[in-house]
Amino acid sequence: MKKFPRIAEYKVMAIRLLLAYGFYFIARILFYVYNQSLIEIDGVFELLKLCYHGLAFDTTTILYTNALFIIASVFPAIINTKKAYQKVLFYLYFVTNLLMYSANFIDFIYYRYTFSRSTRASLDTLENESNKTALLFNFLLNYWHVFLLFFALAYIWILLYRTTKIKQVTEKPTAKYFGASIASFLLITTLCIGGIRGDFKKSTRPINLLDANRYVQNAGQADVVLNTPFAIIRTWNANTFKKVNLVSKTQVDSLLVPIKQYKNNPSTKPNIVIFILESFGREYSGAFNKGTKIPDYVGYTPFVDSLAQHSLIFTNAHANGWKSIHGVSSIIAGVPSFKNAFTSSPYPKQKIESLVSTLESEGYDTSFFHGAPNGSMGFLGFGNILGYDHYYGKTEYNNDADFDGVWGIWDEPFFQYFNKTLTQKKQPFMATMFSVSSHEPYKVPEKYEGKFPKGKVKINECIGYTDFALKRFFAEAKKQPWYNNTIFVLVADHGNTIAYDEYRKEFNRNTVPILFYSANKKYVGVNNDLAQQIDIYPTLLDMIGYQKPFRSWGRSLINEKTVPPFVIKYGANVYQFMSGNYICTFDGTKAVGFYDKDDRGMAKNLIGQRNAEMNAIELRCKAFVQDYMERVVDKRLTTVK
C-alpha cells in the first residue's frame, strides 16, 4: 500500500513549526529572567504552568506569522520539493519569524518601564521620535547582551531548520495526488483558523490579551503567559474606543459629575508653572515615602523634599497612563489613557477643553517647553491640538553644546532657559515644562559625575541630577517679579525602574508625586487620600477661582465635596478602579475582581464576598468608562453634556 501523498512534506513542515514553539518557550523564560523582580512566581512548577498556558497565545502568533509559509508549503502543486522552491520557503520562514520573534526581546528591557507587553501603541509612540537612530544605537550599546541572545538563538534556529530537509521528488500530476493535496490543504487551513481563534466554537471570540488573566494567580503573571508579537497583532487594528451602555445618564451625572463648576474666588490671577518630570516616580522622593515603612529606604531628591515642607503634597497619587504622552493628556487635559492611548487613537484631533483652553479664556499666555528635538514624544502635535500659544524645544534653545546626545538638552541649562523665557512674558501665564534627563541611558553631565548618589537602580543618579536642576531653577526664579504670584506644580509622567518591593506591587506601579507650591504658603500640608494626574486640571482651576463650568473626570484636591477620592488606570489588561476600601478590576462591562485597599499586590480576590460598597464602586467604574467612551468617540471633550 502506497503512502499518503506528500506525507514527508507535511512532517517536515510540522517540525519547522514546532521549532518556533521551542524558541518562543525560550523567549518566555528569558523574559521572566530579565523581569523576575517585577513578576511574582512561586517556583519552577508555577513558571512552567504559565508557559503551558502560553501555548495558546504562541499558537495564534506562530500561525499568523507563518500563514504564507504554511500555504506555500502545502499548496497543491508538483514543484514543492524542488531545491529552488525550498530555498524560497527558507527565506520566507526566517524573514517573517525572526522579525516577529525579535519583538519579544524588546520587552526583556522595555517591560520594566511600562509593566506590560508592548502593543501597537508602543510603535505609534516610536513614530514620534526624530532621533530613532540615536535611540537604537544607545539601546544596542547598553543592552548588547539582548542583541547577542537574539542573534545566537537565531543562528541555532537556522541550524536546526536545516537538519530537516525534504528530498526532491518528481511527482506526476495524477488525480490521486491533487485530490489528496487539496484535501490536505483544506484540512490544514481549517486547523490553522481554529488555532488562530483559540478553538472552533462558534460562541467563542478569538483569544485576546485579556484571556491571559484567566490562568494567573496575580495580575503580573499574565505578561508571562502572553508573548509580545501576540500583543502587537491583537492591537494592530483594534479600536478599543467604543461606546457602551452600562448605566443611565442620570447615574453618570450623579456618580461622576463630568461637568464641574467651582466657586473659589481669589483676588488675583496667579501664574501657573507645571513641571512634568520624566520618569520621576514617587518611589524616589523621601517626602512621599514617610508612611510607607520601607526597610532601609533611601530617597534621592533633597531639594524636592525640602520644598515639600512648604507645599501641599499628595503621597498616594497615581499616573493615569504608562507613557510620557499619556501623562501630558492626563495632566493638562484630564484625559487618561487605558488599553490604548487616547493620543494614538482615531480621536485626539478634536476640540479638547483643558487647562490651555480654560486659562486662555481668562487671558493667560500658554507655553510648552521640552528640551528634546521639536516634535519628540508627539508633544508638539498634541500641544497644537490643545492650543498652546508657544512651543519651546531644542530648536528654540539653539545650543547643541548642551545636548545630551540622545534625548535632548540637559535639564539644568534648559530649566534656566525656562526661567529666562518666563521672565520675558506678560502675566498671567501658564507654562508646562517636560524634563528629559531622568531617563535611560541614565547619564548625567560629565561635570557632575560623582556628585549624586548612584543609588539602588541606575535612574537614581539621574533623579538626583534633575532634583539639582530644580533647585537651581527655583534659586533663580525667586529673584523674578512673577515668582510670588505663581502656583508651581511638580508631578511625574510615570514611574521607572523599581528598587523596593512595595512599588513592585501591581497597584503601586506608576505611582507619582503630586506637589503644589506657592510662595504665599496658601496650600501647605500632607494629604494621604487617593489622587491622580487627572485631578491636577480641576484642582488648578479651583485654586485660581475659575468660575465657569468645565469638563473634567478628575476632582479638585482642595475643595471637592461631591466626588470622593478615587484612582482609575489600566493594567494587566483590565481597568483598575480604587476608591474607599477596595480596588475593583473591571473588564469593560463588569467587575472581575475586588481586592482590599491594602492589598496593593492584588493577591486575594474578594469577588465571592461582594457587599454594598463593592457594588457601588463597580457602578462608579461603569459610569466612568461609559462617559469616557461616549465623549471621546462623539468628540464632546468640552462642557457639552
Short mmCIF file of all heavy atoms in Angstrom, two decimals, residues 306-360:
data_model
loop_
_atom_site.label_atom_id
_atom_site.label_comp_id
_atom_site.label_asym_id
_atom_site.label_seq_id
_atom_site.Cartn_x
_atom_site.Cartn_y
_atom_site.Cartn_z
N SER A 306 12.80 69.20 50.56
CA SER A 306 12.77 70.48 51.31
C SER A 306 11.61 71.35 50.84
O SER A 306 10.95 72.00 51.65
CB SER A 306 14.10 71.23 51.14
OG SER A 306 14.28 71.64 49.78
N LEU A 307 11.35 71.36 49.55
CA LEU A 307 10.22 72.13 49.00
C LEU A 307 8.90 71.58 49.52
O LEU A 307 7.95 72.34 49.78
CB LEU A 307 10.26 72.08 47.47
CG LEU A 307 9.26 72.98 46.73
CD1 LEU A 307 9.62 74.45 46.94
CD2 LEU A 307 9.25 72.65 45.24
N ALA A 308 8.84 70.27 49.70
CA ALA A 308 7.61 69.63 50.17
C ALA A 308 7.22 70.11 51.57
O ALA A 308 6.02 70.09 51.92
CB ALA A 308 7.78 68.11 50.17
N GLN A 309 8.19 70.55 52.36
CA GLN A 309 7.89 71.03 53.71
C GLN A 309 7.04 72.30 53.70
O GLN A 309 6.40 72.66 54.69
CB GLN A 309 9.20 71.31 54.47
CG GLN A 309 10.14 70.13 54.55
CD GLN A 309 9.49 68.88 55.13
OE1 GLN A 309 8.87 68.95 56.19
NE2 GLN A 309 9.64 67.77 54.45
N HIS A 310 7.02 72.99 52.56
CA HIS A 310 6.28 74.25 52.42
C HIS A 310 5.21 74.15 51.33
O HIS A 310 4.78 75.17 50.80
CB HIS A 310 7.27 75.37 52.08
CG HIS A 310 8.46 75.40 52.97
ND1 HIS A 310 8.42 75.87 54.27
CD2 HIS A 310 9.75 74.98 52.76
CE1 HIS A 310 9.62 75.76 54.83
NE2 HIS A 310 10.44 75.23 53.93
N SER A 311 4.81 72.92 51.01
CA SER A 311 3.89 72.69 49.90
C SER A 311 2.73 71.82 50.34
O SER A 311 2.74 71.24 51.44
CB SER A 311 4.62 72.01 48.74
OG SER A 311 5.78 72.71 48.36
N LEU A 312 1.76 71.70 49.47
CA LEU A 312 0.69 70.72 49.64
C LEU A 312 1.07 69.51 48.80
O LEU A 312 1.19 69.61 47.57
CB LEU A 312 -0.65 71.29 49.16
CG LEU A 312 -1.85 70.33 49.17
CD1 LEU A 312 -2.14 69.83 50.59
CD2 LEU A 312 -3.08 71.00 48.57
N ILE A 313 1.30 68.37 49.45
CA ILE A 313 1.74 67.19 48.71
C ILE A 313 0.74 66.05 48.89
O ILE A 313 0.06 65.94 49.91
CB ILE A 313 3.15 66.74 49.13
CG1 ILE A 313 3.16 66.19 50.57
CG2 ILE A 313 4.15 67.88 48.98
CD1 ILE A 313 4.47 65.52 50.96
N PHE A 314 0.69 65.19 47.88
CA PHE A 314 -0.20 64.03 47.88
C PHE A 314 0.64 62.77 47.78
O PHE A 314 1.30 62.52 46.77
CB PHE A 314 -1.21 64.15 46.73
CG PHE A 314 -2.16 65.31 46.94
CD1 PHE A 314 -1.79 66.59 46.56
CD2 PHE A 314 -3.38 65.11 47.55
CE1 PHE A 314 -2.64 67.67 46.79
CE2 PHE A 314 -4.24 66.18 47.78
CZ PHE A 314 -3.87 67.46 47.40
N THR A 315 0.63 62.00 48.85
CA THR A 315 1.53 60.86 48.97
C THR A 315 0.93 59.55 48.48
O THR A 315 1.56 58.51 48.58
CB THR A 315 1.95 60.68 50.45
OG1 THR A 315 0.77 60.41 51.23
CG2 THR A 315 2.63 61.92 50.98
N ASN A 316 -0.29 59.62 47.96
CA ASN A 316 -0.97 58.41 47.47
C ASN A 316 -1.49 58.67 46.06
O ASN A 316 -2.64 58.39 45.74
CB ASN A 316 -2.11 58.04 48.41
CG ASN A 316 -2.60 56.61 48.20
OD1 ASN A 316 -2.01 55.83 47.45
ND2 ASN A 316 -3.69 56.26 48.86
N ALA A 317 -0.61 59.24 45.22
CA ALA A 317 -1.00 59.66 43.87
C ALA A 317 -0.52 58.67 42.82
O ALA A 317 0.51 58.01 42.98
CB ALA A 317 -0.46 61.05 43.58
N HIS A 318 -1.26 58.62 41.72
CA HIS A 318 -1.02 57.63 40.67
C HIS A 318 -1.08 58.26 39.28
O HIS A 318 -1.80 59.24 39.06
CB HIS A 318 -2.06 56.51 40.75
CG HIS A 318 -2.06 55.77 42.04
ND1 HIS A 318 -1.53 54.51 42.18
CD2 HIS A 318 -2.50 56.13 43.29
CE1 HIS A 318 -1.66 54.11 43.44
NE2 HIS A 318 -2.24 55.07 44.13
N ALA A 319 -0.31 57.69 38.36
CA ALA A 319 -0.40 58.09 36.95
C ALA A 319 -1.62 57.42 36.33
O ALA A 319 -2.01 56.32 36.73
CB ALA A 319 0.87 57.67 36.21
N ASN A 320 -2.20 58.08 35.34
CA ASN A 320 -3.36 57.52 34.63
C ASN A 320 -2.97 56.88 33.31
O ASN A 320 -3.82 56.58 32.47
CB ASN A 320 -4.40 58.61 34.36
CG ASN A 320 -5.01 59.15 35.64
OD1 ASN A 320 -4.75 60.29 36.01
ND2 ASN A 320 -5.80 58.34 36.33
N GLY A 321 -1.69 56.67 33.11
CA GLY A 321 -1.19 56.01 31.90
C GLY A 321 0.20 55.50 32.18
O GLY A 321 0.67 55.52 33.32
N TRP A 322 0.90 55.07 31.13
CA TRP A 322 2.21 54.46 31.36
C TRP A 322 3.27 55.01 30.42
O TRP A 322 4.40 54.56 30.40
CB TRP A 322 2.11 52.94 31.22
CG TRP A 322 1.67 52.46 29.86
CD1 TRP A 322 2.47 52.04 28.83
CD2 TRP A 322 0.33 52.37 29.38
NE1 TRP A 322 1.71 51.70 27.75
CE2 TRP A 322 0.38 51.87 28.05
CE3 TRP A 322 -0.92 52.64 29.93
CZ2 TRP A 322 -0.76 51.67 27.27
CZ3 TRP A 322 -2.06 52.43 29.16
CH2 TRP A 322 -1.96 51.95 27.85
N LYS A 323 2.94 56.03 29.63
CA LYS A 323 3.91 56.65 28.75
C LYS A 323 3.89 58.16 28.94
O LYS A 323 2.95 58.72 29.52
CB LYS A 323 3.60 56.31 27.28
CG LYS A 323 3.76 54.83 26.95
CD LYS A 323 3.48 54.60 25.47
CE LYS A 323 3.54 53.12 25.13
NZ LYS A 323 4.88 52.57 25.39
N SER A 324 4.91 58.81 28.40
CA SER A 324 5.04 60.25 28.59
C SER A 324 3.86 61.02 28.00
O SER A 324 3.32 61.93 28.63
CB SER A 324 6.35 60.74 27.96
OG SER A 324 7.47 60.15 28.59
N ILE A 325 3.45 60.66 26.79
CA ILE A 325 2.35 61.38 26.15
C ILE A 325 1.05 61.16 26.92
O ILE A 325 0.18 62.02 26.96
CB ILE A 325 2.20 60.96 24.67
CG1 ILE A 325 1.19 61.86 23.94
CG2 ILE A 325 1.84 59.50 24.55
CD1 ILE A 325 1.61 63.30 23.82
N HIS A 326 0.90 59.99 27.57
CA HIS A 326 -0.27 59.75 28.41
C HIS A 326 -0.29 60.73 29.58
O HIS A 326 -1.35 61.20 29.99
CB HIS A 326 -0.27 58.34 28.98
CG HIS A 326 -0.16 57.26 27.95
ND1 HIS A 326 -0.01 55.93 28.28
CD2 HIS A 326 -0.16 57.29 26.60
CE1 HIS A 326 0.08 55.20 27.18
NE2 HIS A 326 0.00 56.01 26.16
N GLY A 327 0.91 61.00 30.12
CA GLY A 327 1.00 61.93 31.23
C GLY A 327 0.56 63.33 30.84
O GLY A 327 -0.15 64.01 31.59
N VAL A 328 0.95 63.77 29.64
CA VAL A 328 0.56 65.11 29.19
C VAL A 328 -0.95 65.21 29.02
O VAL A 328 -1.58 66.17 29.49
CB VAL A 328 1.27 65.46 27.87
CG1 VAL A 328 0.75 66.78 27.31
CG2 VAL A 328 2.78 65.55 28.09
N SER A 329 -1.57 64.23 28.37
CA SER A 329 -3.01 64.30 28.16
C SER A 329 -3.77 64.21 29.48
O SER A 329 -4.80 64.86 29.66
CB SER A 329 -3.48 63.21 27.19
OG SER A 329 -3.34 61.92 27.74
N SER A 330 -3.26 63.42 30.42
CA SER A 330 -3.92 63.29 31.72
C SER A 330 -3.79 64.56 32.55
O SER A 330 -4.78 65.02 33.14
CB SER A 330 -3.33 62.10 32.50
OG SER A 330 -3.54 60.89 31.84
N ILE A 331 -2.60 65.13 32.61
CA ILE A 331 -2.34 66.28 33.48
C ILE A 331 -2.93 67.56 32.91
O ILE A 331 -3.60 68.33 33.61
CB ILE A 331 -0.81 66.43 33.70
CG1 ILE A 331 -0.27 65.23 34.47
CG2 ILE A 331 -0.50 67.74 34.43
CD1 ILE A 331 1.24 65.07 34.37
N ILE A 332 -2.69 67.82 31.64
CA ILE A 332 -3.09 69.10 31.05
C ILE A 332 -4.55 69.08 30.59
O ILE A 332 -5.26 70.07 30.74
CB ILE A 332 -2.17 69.46 29.86
CG1 ILE A 332 -0.70 69.46 30.31
CG2 ILE A 332 -2.56 70.82 29.29
CD1 ILE A 332 -0.39 70.40 31.44
N ALA A 333 -5.00 67.94 30.05
CA ALA A 333 -6.36 67.89 29.50
C ALA A 333 -7.31 67.03 30.34
O ALA A 333 -8.50 66.98 30.06
CB ALA A 333 -6.34 67.36 28.06
N GLY A 334 -6.78 66.33 31.34
CA GLY A 334 -7.64 65.48 32.16
C GLY A 334 -8.19 64.29 31.40
O GLY A 334 -9.24 63.76 31.76
N VAL A 335 -7.48 63.85 30.35
CA VAL A 335 -7.92 62.72 29.54
C VAL A 335 -6.95 61.57 29.74
O VAL A 335 -5.82 61.61 29.23
CB VAL A 335 -8.01 63.09 28.04
CG1 VAL A 335 -8.52 61.90 27.23
CG2 VAL A 335 -8.92 64.29 27.83
N PRO A 336 -7.33 60.54 30.48
CA PRO A 336 -6.42 59.41 30.74
C PRO A 336 -6.33 58.48 29.53
O PRO A 336 -7.08 58.61 28.57
CB PRO A 336 -7.09 58.70 31.92
CG PRO A 336 -8.55 58.98 31.74
CD PRO A 336 -8.64 60.36 31.15
N SER A 337 -5.39 57.54 29.60
CA SER A 337 -5.26 56.51 28.58
C SER A 337 -5.42 55.15 29.24
O SER A 337 -4.88 54.91 30.32
CB SER A 337 -3.89 56.59 27.90
OG SER A 337 -3.82 57.72 27.06
N PHE A 338 -6.14 54.26 28.57
CA PHE A 338 -6.40 52.95 29.14
C PHE A 338 -5.77 51.87 28.26
O PHE A 338 -4.56 51.89 28.06
CB PHE A 338 -7.90 52.75 29.32
CG PHE A 338 -8.51 53.73 30.29
CD1 PHE A 338 -9.56 54.56 29.93
CD2 PHE A 338 -7.98 53.86 31.57
CE1 PHE A 338 -10.09 55.47 30.82
CE2 PHE A 338 -8.52 54.76 32.48
CZ PHE A 338 -9.57 55.57 32.10
N LYS A 339 -6.55 50.94 27.73
CA LYS A 339 -5.97 49.85 26.96
C LYS A 339 -5.15 50.38 25.80
O LYS A 339 -4.04 49.91 25.53
CB LYS A 339 -7.08 48.92 26.45
CG LYS A 339 -6.54 47.70 25.72
CD LYS A 339 -7.66 46.75 25.35
CE LYS A 339 -7.10 45.49 24.68
NZ LYS A 339 -8.18 44.53 24.35
N ASN A 340 -5.69 51.34 25.08
CA ASN A 340 -4.95 52.03 24.03
C ASN A 340 -4.89 53.50 24.36
O ASN A 340 -5.82 54.06 24.95
CB ASN A 340 -5.59 51.81 22.66
CG ASN A 340 -5.53 50.37 22.21
OD1 ASN A 340 -6.55 49.77 21.92
ND2 ASN A 340 -4.34 49.80 22.14
N ALA A 341 -3.80 54.13 23.99
CA ALA A 341 -3.62 55.54 24.33
C ALA A 341 -4.62 56.41 23.59
O ALA A 341 -4.85 56.23 22.38
CB ALA A 341 -2.20 55.97 23.99
N PHE A 342 -5.20 57.36 24.28
CA PHE A 342 -6.08 58.34 23.65
C PHE A 342 -5.35 59.04 22.51
O PHE A 342 -5.91 59.25 21.43
CB PHE A 342 -6.56 59.35 24.69
CG PHE A 342 -7.15 60.60 24.09
CD1 PHE A 342 -8.39 60.56 23.47
CD2 PHE A 342 -6.47 61.81 24.16
CE1 PHE A 342 -8.94 61.70 22.90
CE2 PHE A 342 -7.01 62.96 23.60
CZ PHE A 342 -8.25 62.91 22.97
N THR A 343 -4.08 59.40 22.73
CA THR A 343 -3.33 60.15 21.73
C THR A 343 -2.96 59.32 20.50
O THR A 343 -2.56 59.87 19.48
CB THR A 343 -2.06 60.73 22.37
OG1 THR A 343 -1.40 59.69 23.09
CG2 THR A 343 -2.41 61.86 23.32
N SER A 344 -3.05 57.99 20.60
CA SER A 344 -2.77 57.12 19.46
C SER A 344 -4.05 56.59 18.82
O SER A 344 -3.99 55.76 17.93
CB SER A 344 -1.89 55.94 19.90
OG SER A 344 -0.66 56.39 20.40
N SER A 345 -5.18 57.05 19.30
CA SER A 345 -6.48 56.59 18.80
C SER A 345 -6.90 57.43 17.59
O SER A 345 -6.21 58.38 17.21
CB SER A 345 -7.53 56.73 19.91
OG SER A 345 -7.90 58.09 20.07
N PRO A 346 -8.03 57.13 16.99
CA PRO A 346 -8.52 57.98 15.89
C PRO A 346 -9.13 59.29 16.36
O PRO A 346 -9.58 60.08 15.54
CB PRO A 346 -9.61 57.10 15.25
CG PRO A 346 -9.38 55.72 15.74
CD PRO A 346 -8.79 55.88 17.10
N TYR A 347 -9.12 59.59 17.69
CA TYR A 347 -9.95 60.67 18.20
C TYR A 347 -9.26 61.87 18.84
O TYR A 347 -9.95 62.79 19.30
CB TYR A 347 -10.93 60.09 19.24
CG TYR A 347 -11.77 58.97 18.68
CD1 TYR A 347 -11.53 57.65 19.07
CD2 TYR A 347 -12.77 59.21 17.75
CE1 TYR A 347 -12.29 56.61 18.56
CE2 TYR A 347 -13.54 58.18 17.23
CZ TYR A 347 -13.29 56.88 17.65
OH TYR A 347 -14.03 55.85 17.12
N PRO A 348 -7.94 61.98 18.91
CA PRO A 348 -7.36 63.13 19.61
C PRO A 348 -7.53 64.45 18.87
O PRO A 348 -7.48 65.52 19.49
CB PRO A 348 -5.88 62.76 19.76
CG PRO A 348 -5.63 61.83 18.62
CD PRO A 348 -6.89 61.06 18.46
N LYS A 349 -7.72 64.38 17.54
CA LYS A 349 -7.86 65.62 16.77
C LYS A 349 -9.29 66.13 16.87
O LYS A 349 -10.11 65.94 15.99
CB LYS A 349 -7.46 65.39 15.31
CG LYS A 349 -7.24 66.67 14.54
CD LYS A 349 -6.72 66.41 13.14
CE LYS A 349 -6.49 67.72 12.40
NZ LYS A 349 -6.00 67.49 11.03
N GLN A 350 -9.58 66.76 17.98
CA GLN A 350 -10.90 67.35 18.23
C GLN A 350 -10.73 68.48 19.22
O GLN A 350 -9.66 68.67 19.81
CB GLN A 350 -11.86 66.29 18.80
CG GLN A 350 -11.41 65.65 20.10
CD GLN A 350 -12.44 64.72 20.68
OE1 GLN A 350 -13.47 65.16 21.16
NE2 GLN A 350 -12.17 63.40 20.63
N LYS A 351 -11.78 69.25 19.42
CA LYS A 351 -11.74 70.33 20.40
C LYS A 351 -11.71 69.72 21.78
O LYS A 351 -12.61 68.96 22.16
CB LYS A 351 -12.95 71.24 20.24
CG LYS A 351 -12.90 72.47 21.13
CD LYS A 351 -14.08 73.39 20.87
CE LYS A 351 -13.98 74.64 21.75
NZ LYS A 351 -15.12 75.56 21.51
N ILE A 352 -10.67 70.03 22.55
CA ILE A 352 -10.49 69.46 23.88
C ILE A 352 -10.41 70.58 24.91
O ILE A 352 -9.50 71.41 24.86
CB ILE A 352 -9.21 68.59 23.95
CG1 ILE A 352 -9.25 67.49 22.90
CG2 ILE A 352 -9.04 68.00 25.35
CD1 ILE A 352 -7.95 66.70 22.80
N GLU A 353 -11.37 70.60 25.81
CA GLU A 353 -11.31 71.55 26.90
C GLU A 353 -10.22 71.10 27.86
O GLU A 353 -10.17 69.93 28.25
CB GLU A 353 -12.66 71.59 27.60
CG GLU A 353 -12.87 72.85 28.44
CD GLU A 353 -14.31 72.98 28.85
OE1 GLU A 353 -14.84 72.02 29.45
OE2 GLU A 353 -14.92 74.02 28.58
N SER A 354 -9.34 72.03 28.24
CA SER A 354 -8.17 71.66 29.03
C SER A 354 -7.71 72.87 29.83
O SER A 354 -8.32 73.96 29.77
CB SER A 354 -7.05 71.20 28.10
OG SER A 354 -6.60 72.30 27.31
N LEU A 355 -6.61 72.70 30.54
CA LEU A 355 -6.01 73.85 31.21
C LEU A 355 -5.65 74.93 30.21
O LEU A 355 -5.74 76.13 30.51
CB LEU A 355 -4.75 73.40 31.96
CG LEU A 355 -4.93 72.92 33.40
CD1 LEU A 355 -3.63 72.36 33.93
CD2 LEU A 355 -5.45 74.04 34.30
N VAL A 356 -5.24 74.53 29.01
CA VAL A 356 -4.85 75.50 28.00
C VAL A 356 -6.04 76.36 27.59
O VAL A 356 -6.00 77.60 27.65
CB VAL A 356 -4.25 74.80 26.77
CG1 VAL A 356 -3.87 75.83 25.71
CG2 VAL A 356 -3.03 73.97 27.17
N SER A 357 -7.14 75.73 27.19
CA SER A 357 -8.29 76.49 26.69
C SER A 357 -8.96 77.30 27.79
O SER A 357 -9.35 78.46 27.58
CB SER A 357 -9.30 75.54 26.05
OG SER A 357 -9.83 74.63 26.99
N THR A 358 -9.11 76.71 28.99
CA THR A 358 -9.78 77.44 30.07
C THR A 358 -8.96 78.64 30.53
O THR A 358 -9.51 79.72 30.78
CB THR A 358 -10.06 76.51 31.26
OG1 THR A 358 -8.86 75.83 31.64
CG2 THR A 358 -11.12 75.47 30.90
N LEU A 359 -7.65 78.47 30.62
CA LEU A 359 -6.81 79.58 31.08
C LEU A 359 -6.66 80.65 30.01
O LEU A 359 -6.60 81.85 30.32
CB LEU A 359 -5.44 79.06 31.52
CG LEU A 359 -5.47 78.18 32.78
CD1 LEU A 359 -4.07 77.69 33.12
CD2 LEU A 359 -6.07 78.93 33.96
N GLU A 360 -6.61 80.24 28.76
CA GLU A 360 -6.55 81.25 27.69
C GLU A 360 -7.82 82.10 27.67
O GLU A 360 -7.77 83.30 27.37
CB GLU A 360 -6.33 80.57 26.34
CG GLU A 360 -4.90 80.10 26.14
CD GLU A 360 -4.65 79.49 24.77
OE1 GLU A 360 -5.64 79.15 24.08
OE2 GLU A 360 -3.47 79.35 24.39
#
